[in-house]
Amino acid sequence: MPKAHVYKRDHINTDEIIPARYLNTDNEAELAKHCLEDLDADFVNKVKPGDCIVAGEDFGCGSSREHAVWAIRGAGILAVIAKSFARIFYRNAINNGFYVIESADALEKIDNGDELEIDYKTGLIKNRTADIDIKFEPLPEFAREIIEDGGLLNHITKTIK
Amino acid sequence: MTITEKILARAAGKKTVKPGELINAKIDIIMCHDVTTPPAISMLIEKGINKVFDSEKIVVTPDHFQPAKDIKSAELHKRLDEWAKRHNIKHYYKIGRAGVCHALLPEQGHIRPGEVIVGGDSHTCTYGAFAAFSTGIGSTDLAAAIATGQLWFKVPASIKFVLNGSLGLGVYSKDVILTVIARTGVDGALYKAMEFAGPALAEMSMEARMTITNMAIEAGAKNGIIGFDDVTKQYLDEHLKDKKQYAVFESDNDATYDKIEQFDCSKIEPMVALPHLPSGGVPIADCAGKKMDQAYIGSCTNGRIEDLRIAAKILKGKTVAIRTLIVPATPSIWKQANDEGLFDIFYEAGCVIAAPTCGACLGGFMGVLAAGEKCISTTNRNFVGRMGSPKSEVYLASPATAAASAITGKLEDPRKYM
């Protein structure tokens, strides 16, 4: 079951998620090796496929680099749960078919290592470890459509070919 | 409606729009550089989309890692170059004419009022200084915009920042925006339009105004915007290549704002944003004397000719006490600085003069920091590891404060040298 990697921090920025010194490549596997390196150098050793990141306000602030989403996804993370997201990161995530969940109280109700089950459609995080349900506002329908199509380009490809 | 709403309404082919409304907007200009565009190109190729929506509306310049800093970045440049040539991109600035994108595009006359400009770079909000809507996007949006010439947007609500009074000696637009962000916080304008107005702004050049809109993203904003006036017109008359009429919009008197913030600019001091957030701004008096290891004068925030003149005036006849890098943002700024004799001043002072590049601003190359080092920098971000080692520190300030600090090797009040 997916485990939570909790960072009780606001403004986790794109330089922490993937430092610019690694932006000379756009290879997802390569970027993933350095995911969150300047925030938590041990993260890449701890993370397992399907895990989630839980954080505070303004997650992903800073650069427009989509490399931040690719690094996180490449590291195996399934979704990021935060109190709020920086605008460009949020948009990049949806455009990549990657789940971003805004929740005001997830950070207080999830501890590091807790096992989570997420229902994106109804907007429910089940914290299996603490046995708590955490509700969240599901993404608007048009954003869910983009995610379900596998990202923005798949979504628009039908119309522009 | 606000100016932002009016521009977006026009781009969406609507009479009116409201904050929160989802629109599909026509894009007038797309800015492409060497980090975020190559992935967009790969996405388009993978999807079998072998076209661009308009080869005259895409402006391409490598800047982040140019001249290529290593083999991998050379490969990025190669992918960008092959794509630009394949699609006959009209405005492709190759090395020799390439420069830091947000200084280059206005200077080369690509930014017009009333238009919608997107770029694969968060500081694309810079162009809002020209009464345009401009915002930074990621590679997927970039690919979609390149292919279709359209993007969806949520119309942002606006916050108005009224800049009253006149700036004192030694105080610049950088000090104003650092003050604004210190009050607003790094997410205080999240998803919002930051609209700047007021008499202090009227006294600023376009270059100074660009420093303000450049950093709107550092308060989380979607765009920063400044209304059109005579200063805007004069800059455009001198720089626009295509003289066809542009649309000038202004906010209505009864436009709705989430908030209106007033600032007395006559009270603003030279500011330094302490590590590790751009909102960490304090007056120089509160931090003067802190030892630095490097000064960096350049970037899309403060690498224009006016910035270099301000730095040169302070450095003239002095010797720097720490490593000092001067990075003119574009080739024409470089030439202008050379013609005006600024390079002689920098050379005599012991500075190193680099080729136009984003370089060390983002920790790329040409002046990255070692563990434990501190840099006074005219750039826009001081996040952990931004200019090199995660154990280094970046202090953001104006070119004047950076130049004064270079002389003493400590955070220094520039007014001592005026």
Side-chain angles (χ1 to χ4, degrees):
Chain A
M1 197 170 284
K3 282 198 171 138
H5 299 266
V6 178
Y7 295 96
K8 290 194 183 290
R9 260 275 315 276
D10 296 334
H11 317 302
I12 292 176
N13 59 72
T14 49
D15 281 304
E16 289 171 307
I17 297 168
I18 183 73
R21 56 186 177 274
Y22 303 119
L23 296 186
N24 55 5
T25 179
D26 54 349
N27 180 294
E28 190 160 317
E30 195 62 40
L31 293 166
K33 289 181 197 163
H34 305 290
C35 184
L36 290 176
E37 187 173 289
D38 287 355
L39 175 71
D40 175 7
D42 200 32
F43 170 78
V44 290
N45 303 318
K46 296 184 290 197
V47 66
K48 298 265 178 338
D51 286 356
C52 296
I53 290 173
V54 183
E57 307 264 9
D58 195 29
F59 186 91
C61 66
S63 159
S64 69
R65 64 187 72 151
E66 211 157 297
H67 307 64
V69 176
W70 303 329
I72 290 173
R73 181 174 65 187
I77 291 291
L78 205 62
V80 178
I81 304 163
K83 280 192 179 176
S84 64
F85 289 89
R87 189 188 71 80
I88 306 178
F89 181 91
Y90 191 75
R91 196 175 163 114
N92 284 346
I94 291 167
N95 282 345
N96 273 277
F98 182 81
Y99 275 104
V100 270
I101 295 170
E102 270 190 340
S103 164
D105 38 41
L107 192 61
E108 280 75 41
K109 293 184 175 166
I110 300 172
D111 283 328
N112 209 24
D114 282 359
E115 294 189 332
L116 308 178
E117 209 178 294
I118 303 170
D119 188 328
Y120 301 101
K121 267 198 181 140
T122 58
L124 189 68
I125 303 166
K126 281 185 176 295
N127 184 339
R128 292 292 186 196
T129 310
D131 198 21
I132 307 173
D133 285 359
I134 307 159
K135 284 187 181 161
F136 64 91
E137 187 68 33
L139 286 169
E141 199 182 326
F142 85 95
R144 271 214 317 277
E145 262 176 39
I146 292 174
I147 291 181
E148 279 160 17
D149 281 348
L152 180 71
L153 281 191
N154 286 344
H155 185 69
I156 62 167
T157 300
K158 307 161 195 166
T159 53
I160 57 174
K161 266 224 173 138
Chain B
M1 285 194 290
T2 65
I3 179 170
T4 295
E5 291 156 12
K6 286 182 184 179
I7 295 171
L8 287 176
R10 173 179 176 260
K14 294 179 154 215
K15 281 220 168 75
T16 61
V17 295
K18 284 197 186 104
E21 186 177 339
L22 286 174
I23 56 158
N24 209 35
K26 273 194 185 165
I27 308 297
D28 294 295
I29 291 289
I30 301 174
M31 189 286 297
C32 290
H33 68 49
D34 51 342
V35 168
T36 54
T37 302
I41 296 166
S42 299
M43 291 175 198
L44 290 169
I45 292 171
E46 194 198 317
K47 298 285 172 217
I49 303 166
N50 188 26
K51 65 165 197 171
V52 300
F53 88 105
D54 189 334
S55 61
E56 297 190 6
K57 291 187 171 177
I58 297 169
V59 183
V60 180
T61 180
D63 61 0
H64 277 54
F65 299 144
Q66 81 101 34
K69 77 177 180 103
D70 55 17
I71 296 167
K72 282 181 176 172
S73 53
E75 297 290 346
L76 291 177
H77 293 158
K78 191 172 167 212
R79 283 158 66 190
L80 188 67
D81 178 72
E82 286 171 353
W83 170 79
K85 286 177 179 158
R86 190 161 67 242
H87 294 287
N88 295 312
I89 300 296
K90 186 175 173 191
H91 305 293
Y92 171 28
Y93 293 86
K94 300 183 194 70
I95 192 161
R97 289 295 178 269
V100 175
C101 53
H102 307 310
L104 187 83
L105 266 70
E107 167 201 291
Q108 293 299 319
H110 296 295
I111 305 303
R112 299 159 58 83
E115 299 202 335
V116 172
I117 302 137
V118 296
D121 190 280
S122 61
H123 293 107
T124 303
C125 50
T126 308
Y127 314 135
F130 293 88
F133 174 87
S134 69
T135 192
I137 54 175
S139 299
T140 303
D141 271 328
L142 194 57
I146 287 169
T148 66
Q150 297 176 23
L151 278 181
W152 65 267
F153 292 108
K154 193 152 97 178
V155 177
S158 294
I159 304 177
K160 192 170 182 176
F161 296 83
V162 184
L163 308 178
N164 301 301
S166 287
L167 298 182
L169 178 74
V171 181
Y172 300 90
S173 65
K174 180 64 162 287
D175 302 304
V176 174
I177 190 63
L178 289 179
T179 302
V180 169
I181 296 167
R183 192 197 286 184
T184 313
V186 289
D187 58 356
L190 194 59
Y191 289 86
K192 305 278 162 73
M194 289 176 93
E195 183 175 325
F196 299 94
L201 210 51
E203 292 174 6
M204 289 180 199
S205 69
M206 287 315 296
E207 299 203 341
R209 294 178 189 184
M210 280 191 260
T211 303
I212 289 182
T213 47
N214 172 270
M215 290 190 72
I217 180 71
E218 309 313 334
K222 182 174 215 155
N223 67 310
I225 197 158
I226 295 172
F228 183 93
D229 66 6
D230 289 343
V231 180
T232 326
K233 183 177 182 305
Q234 194 188 336
Y235 186 101
L236 292 169
D237 287 348
E238 287 165 13
H239 291 83
L240 281 187
K241 291 192 184 87
D242 177 359
K243 301 286 184 200
K244 78 170 187 277
Q245 193 53 47
Y246 44 77
V248 174
F249 295 102
E250 56 182 37
S251 292
D252 294 327
N253 289 330
D254 62 350
T256 307
Y257 294 95
D258 264 16
K259 250 192 297 192
I260 298 178
E261 298 267 4
Q262 305 281 345
F263 289 82
D264 181 356
C265 291
S266 66
K267 296 216 170 93
I268 293 177
E269 301 277 316
M271 295 286 286
V272 177
L274 308 178
H276 290 284
L277 286 175
S279 57
V282 297
I284 182 72
D286 294 359
C287 59
K290 195 168 188 65
K291 246 180 121 281
M292 294 288 117
D293 299 285
Q294 176 170 298
Y296 187 94
I297 298 170
S299 85
C300 58
T301 314
N302 282 118
R304 287 174 283 265
I305 189 67
E306 192 176 284
D307 302 312
L308 301 187
R309 286 181 190 137
I310 290 165
K313 206 169 166 192
I314 289 173
L315 289 167
K316 190 169 187 181
K318 304 282 194 302
T319 308
V320 297
I322 49 175
R323 300 192 305 262
T324 301
L325 288 96
I326 310 287
V327 192
T330 69
S332 76
I333 295 167
W334 195 100
K335 182 179 187 311
Q336 180 85 20
N338 187 39
D339 290 350
E340 291 181 13
L342 307 187
F343 285 178
D344 292 338
I345 295 170
F346 296 138
Y347 169 79
E348 295 298 339
C351 308
V352 61
I353 301 155
T357 181
C358 300
C361 167
L362 74 160
F365 68 136
M366 300 280 276
V368 297
L369 304 171
E373 287 192 327
K374 297 177 174 62
C375 179
I376 174 83
S377 181
T378 68
T379 55
N380 43 53
R381 287 193 181 125
N382 54 355
F383 296 150
V384 170
R386 174 69 181 178
M387 292 187 77
S389 165
K391 295 198 173 84
S392 62
E393 293 181 352
V394 178
Y395 296 74
L396 305 176
S398 73
T401 304
S405 305
I407 295 168
T408 60
K410 299 171 201 160
L411 293 181
E412 189 67 78
D413 192 325
R415 292 170 295 199
K416 284 190 183 166
Y417 295 93
M418 291 176 176

